[in-house]
Amino acid sequence: MLRSLVGSEMCIRDRYNGDAEMFDKIHDMRTRIVSSPAFNGDDVLGAILFEMTMDREFHGMPAARFLWEKLNVVPFVKCDKGLAAEANDVQLMKPMPQLSQLLTRAAATGVFGTKMRSLIKQANPAGIKAIVAQQFEVGKQILAHGLCPILEPEVDINSATKGEAEALLYSAIVDGLNQLPEGQQIMLKLTIPSVDNLYKGLVDHPKVLKVVALSGGYSREEANRRLARQNGMVASFSRALTEGLNVKMSAADYNGMLSQSIRSIHQASST
């Protein structure tokens, strides 16, 4: 799994005159990634696009169609609108009043699924229960549109109660899965757990299509090391994937570094 250049807006905002020019440059960088010979379905299972990217083109083709038809990479779209203010040691997702319209457009463009993120700061049972309830509630809306939701209740890697929060999260997710109708499947994007293979029961659950791991601020080396110990989880890295890439690199250097990054992440995912 790959997510396109998370955080790029903040990194380059001051370099350009206005949002339009900035977003054009962001899209140029995303295009450079998907145009690299290293970026293909042999090593990359899927790509999570921002809504803005979904509405644009790669090499004259709608972005989602290009990913699937040219690269054999499954397209997803980020559907959340960011995080709400913290309460009960968590941040729920902000309201998504235009979700239905986005899902209709996404399905029409050939997108396979969606991704939505909320954040857990501490092992607060009430907060974690609320996070998971919201994720499944929105996930059911996405399933109703014929798309596969990736639920992403991230646990902060710097939390003093990370392990305890992950244990609570696991139980809440199992409860949510038990309430899903038979025949429906979701995906999960989770922080690499402190207890190895904590999520193996989710990997093997019949209502879970795939469990993917977020890098969460770990370096690529550290994220790979931790992921390699989780049987059945595969990477959905963003910052760790693009670590070391620079817009000023030559094509050879850029493609070489991206290839090394993808291969190392693929190897860590193959356990």
Side-chain angles (χ1 to χ4, degrees), residues 24-223:
D24 285 343
K25 294 301 181 181
I26 292 169
H27 191 68
D28 288 346
M29 289 189 287
R30 293 170 181 159
T31 301
R32 190 176 188 184
I33 286 181
V34 303
S35 303
S36 173
F39 190 93
N40 58 70
D42 292 340
D43 292 312
V44 180
L45 172 64
I48 302 171
L49 306 173
F50 288 114
E51 182 179 352
M52 180 189 70
T53 309
M54 182 190 77
D55 291 334
R56 295 196 178 203
E57 295 182 342
F58 293 137
H59 302 295
M61 289 182 66
R65 282 187 51 207
F66 178 85
L67 289 172
W68 180 241
E69 296 179 13
K70 297 297 184 181
L71 303 180
N72 200 33
V73 171
V74 179
F76 296 80
V77 65
K78 176 184 180 291
C79 68
D80 69 80
K81 299 301 180 184
L83 299 174
E86 183 176 336
N88 290 325
D89 299 310
V90 304
Q91 288 181 269
L92 297 171
M93 297 179 289
K94 290 180 179 178
M96 294 170 265
Q98 305 300 316
L99 178 62
S100 181
Q101 294 92 320
L102 170 59
L103 298 176
T104 298
R105 286 195 295 113
T109 63
V111 166
F112 176 77
T114 64
K115 195 275 301 187
M116 51 190 175
R117 173 179 176 261
S118 44
L119 182 62
I120 297 166
K121 299 289 190 68
Q122 301 291 343
N124 183 312
I128 291 172
K129 183 178 180 180
I131 283 266
V132 173
Q134 184 191 42
Q135 286 275 343
F136 273 94
E137 178 184 0
V138 179
K140 290 173 183 176
Q141 297 177 49
I142 294 163
L143 286 165
H145 279 76
L147 300 173
C148 180
I150 301 175
L151 313 189
E152 185 185 9
E154 176 181 351
V155 177
D156 188 338
I157 64 169
N158 297 309
S159 172
T161 56
K162 179 175 180 289
E164 297 93 327
E166 288 165 344
L168 290 169
L169 178 62
Y170 176 86
S171 296
I173 290 174
V174 170
D175 289 343
L177 290 170
N178 290 339
Q179 296 175 39
L180 270 185
E182 293 298 324
Q184 291 191 338
Q185 286 187 313
I186 62 159
M187 295 176 62
L188 294 162
K189 181 169 178 174
L190 304 173
T191 305
I192 303 170
S194 296
V195 176
D196 290 343
N197 287 313
L198 173 66
Y199 297 135
K200 188 64 167 62
L202 302 177
V203 170
D204 296 334
H205 199 287
K207 294 179 183 177
V208 177
L209 180 61
K210 185 72 70 174
V211 179
V212 301
L214 58 97
S215 51
Y218 292 125
S219 69
R220 180 167 61 245
E221 181 179 0
E222 179 65 10

